[in-house]
Amino acid sequence: MEGEKWDMLEWLGPDASICVINYLDNPADVVRAAAVSKSWRKFVISNEFSKMMCMKLCPEISNFTHIELPNRDILCPLQEASSSTSMEWQIQERAHIVYAYCARRILIGHSDKDCVMSCIGASSTDNFPEEGIENTLEPSYSVDSGPSYWSSAGQSDPNVQESLVYRLESDLYLVNEIRIRPFKALFQDGHPIYSAKHVRFQMGHSKLNLSELSLVTAEEESQLTKDDNYVWTYISPEYSMAQESNLQAFKLPRPILCIGGVLKIELLGRVQKQEADDLYYICVGYVQVIGCPLSPHLIVDRSTNYRVLEYYLQTNMTCETAASSEVQSRQQTLFDRIQQMGPDIILRTIFGGAHLQFDDEDNTDDIDGDSDDGDAGDHDDDVHAPR
């Protein structure tokens, strides 16, 4: 009937409503759904839709087992609960805020910024430290009138792999792609290029206290590349590397959350022998890791083996504004969209497998009030897809 109002949750029931809301692909819409009414808020939060949205965008989030708000006593104190159920509800509310914020940051986390902070070590180095891994952070071909590059030790077996390990600028970093420039030896006859056949990437955290390490030999440095020293939360597909000396871009399948700030580049297979000793080498001139920090308000607790995610609310925000500062003026947006669809479209969505399609004209809404960090800049480098 014209003018008649209906509530989707009551009309469809909880199971069918879960199916509908699970089709949403923007964390802002999940927050809007929670702002429709008290019953919708309870439904959205108790079913952890913001957490599921966050894990859909970034499966690495599943590594976190607990959410903390360290400054909550000042900004958003837990109220005295008359029952364990009330306390559990407050915890769920906080998780909803953090996961919604995190999902939004993941969604806009695109940048063309190089995020390598320092080198940790190389699996081998031919002439240490002259041909050390630190040279791979120098974009110029030469430094102090000499070529700048890292060189592995020579091997008679072309299948021996090498690895380079780097420290990123933050413990929580969204990585979009890795760029590598194989080294071309202009000082050798024929100008050979010492590339690898394939490359693979691992991300995670170190079991060692990297800030207390001081390395003086190539052997000590190579010990730091061993997998026993790390917990890897992501391993990429293999990419083919061209035997060319240009900066080659290896774009990851999606933005990857590096939890712990450690990146390992695995160089698989050798293609070039050195004429002087008839041994295979891999040499790299320059490495870039393209991405951006997840958020300055999100940190990971190292003392918990990187299992606890901490969210520091902005000091000028209260608990309520953290949850809905950007959506209070638009809390009916999602409800109006679903109303416009009508019962027939919703039923086809549930039983016919169709997806909800929203023309989101305000898809730049930012839950936390931060602006977009910028899209990745275009460049002329070759982009490699995984094998």
Side-chain angles (χ1 to χ4, degrees):
M1 297 294 293
E2 185 177 353
E4 182 180 356
K5 296 183 178 181
W6 51 276
D7 190 312
M8 186 189 78
L9 298 184
E10 295 179 0
W11 187 68
L12 292 180
D15 293 340
S17 297
I18 288 174
C19 293
V20 173
I21 295 180
N22 273 333
Y23 278 117
L24 299 178
D25 57 6
N26 191 315
D29 284 334
V30 176
V31 174
R32 293 188 188 106
V36 169
S37 65
K38 289 183 178 180
S39 61
W40 277 59
R41 180 172 180 79
K42 183 176 180 180
F43 182 76
V44 169
I45 292 177
S46 61
N47 284 285
E48 299 183 319
F49 286 115
S50 60
K51 181 179 180 179
M52 289 189 290
M53 170 72 70
C54 198
M55 292 176 63
K56 188 189 303 182
L57 294 171
C58 181
E60 294 80 46
I61 291 292
S62 62
N63 287 280
F64 298 120
T65 59
H66 192 59
I67 300 291
E68 284 285 350
L69 284 79
N71 57 350
R72 63 190 179 189
D73 292 335
I74 299 175
L75 301 175
C76 183
L78 286 171
Q79 303 298 318
E80 291 188 9
S82 57
S83 67
S84 59
T85 303
S86 299
M87 181 63 70
E88 181 181 356
W89 168 250
Q90 293 183 63
I91 294 173
Q92 288 178 333
E93 279 190 305
R94 291 186 172 194
H96 166 72
I97 294 171
V98 176
Y99 281 118
Y101 174 80
C102 189
R104 184 58 179 166
R105 296 299 303 176
I106 293 169
L107 199 64
I108 65 175
H110 299 278
S111 173
D112 204 33
K113 181 180 182 295
D114 186 2
C115 58
V116 175
M117 182 176 70
S118 61
C119 302
I120 294 177
S123 53
S124 73
T125 302
D126 189 31
N127 295 301
F128 183 88
E130 290 81 6
E131 297 176 337
I133 184 177
E134 286 77 11
N135 294 332
T136 64
L137 302 185
E138 173 55 54
S140 301
Y141 176 81
S142 61
V143 175
D144 297 331
S145 301
S148 174
Y149 64 96
W150 162 82
S151 174
S152 72
Q155 298 287 345
S156 58
D157 182 0
N159 295 316
V160 176
Q161 69 181 53
E162 298 286 347
S163 58
L164 304 173
V165 184
Y166 297 89
R167 182 85 174 269
L168 305 185
E169 293 178 348
S170 170
D171 282 344
L172 292 174
Y173 225 96
L174 284 171
V175 180
N176 298 311
E177 70 179 42
I178 294 94
R179 302 172 187 172
I180 303 174
R181 187 180 70 213
F183 178 69
K184 184 176 184 178
L186 298 176
F187 52 84
Q188 294 182 356
D189 292 340
H191 302 166
I193 300 173
Y194 292 93
S195 65
K197 288 183 180 180
H198 307 286
V199 64
R200 183 171 58 207
F201 310 105
Q202 299 188 63
M203 301 183 205
H205 66 266
S206 173
K207 299 176 183 177
L208 308 174
N209 188 346
L210 298 176
S211 61
E212 295 182 355
L213 298 173
S214 72
L215 307 174
V216 293
T217 68
E219 182 179 355
E220 289 174 337
E221 183 184 82
S222 68
Q223 295 298 314
L224 289 181
T225 66
K226 296 185 180 300
D227 285 335
D228 292 344
N229 295 323
Y230 302 92
V231 175
W232 303 118
T233 55
Y234 174 79
I235 301 177
S236 78
E238 286 186 17
Y239 297 79
S240 296
M241 177 179 280
Q243 193 176 10
E244 301 172 356
S245 60
N246 59 309
L247 189 63
Q248 301 179 36
F250 303 94
K251 190 170 183 61
L252 298 173
R254 55 176 174 78
I256 304 299
L257 180 61
C258 179
I259 302 175
V262 176
L263 169 73
K264 181 177 183 178
I265 299 176
E266 294 183 289
L267 302 163
L268 312 173
R270 301 161 186 248
V271 297
Q272 183 64 51
K273 277 186 176 182
Q274 181 175 250
E275 185 177 343
D277 57 10
D278 202 34
L279 296 177
Y280 289 95
Y281 290 82
I282 299 177
C283 300
V284 173
Y286 183 45
V287 168
Q288 275 188 320
V289 181
I290 304 302
C292 64
L294 180 59
S295 169
H297 303 294
L298 292 167
I299 67 171
V300 61
D301 187 350
R302 297 180 182 180
S303 66
T304 63
N305 198 26
Y306 294 81
R307 290 290 186 178
V308 174
L309 179 64
E310 296 181 344
Y311 177 40
Y312 286 82
L313 293 171
Q314 294 91 322
T315 55
N316 63 342
M317 296 178 71
T318 66
C319 186
E320 288 75 17
T321 57
S324 57
S325 59
E326 287 295 319
V327 302
Q328 288 300 323
S329 62
R330 302 183 303 277
Q331 61 181 342
Q332 288 297 120
T333 301
L334 180 65
F335 183 76
D336 292 339
R337 291 175 181 175
I338 296 175
Q339 272 193 320
Q340 293 170 4
M341 289 164 49
D344 292 339
I345 297 178
I346 292 177
L347 288 174
R348 286 201 302 271
T349 298
I350 298 170
F351 300 110
H355 285 226
L356 295 179
Q357 299 293 331
F358 292 150
D359 294 324
D360 192 358
E361 297 178 353
D362 59 337
N363 57 8
T364 58
D365 296 338
D366 196 339
I367 292 170
D368 60 317
D370 295 341
S371 60
D372 194 339
D373 289 341
D375 295 332
D378 296 335
H379 55 84
D380 297 329
D381 308 322
D382 295 336
V383 178
H384 295 250
R387 296 199 299 164

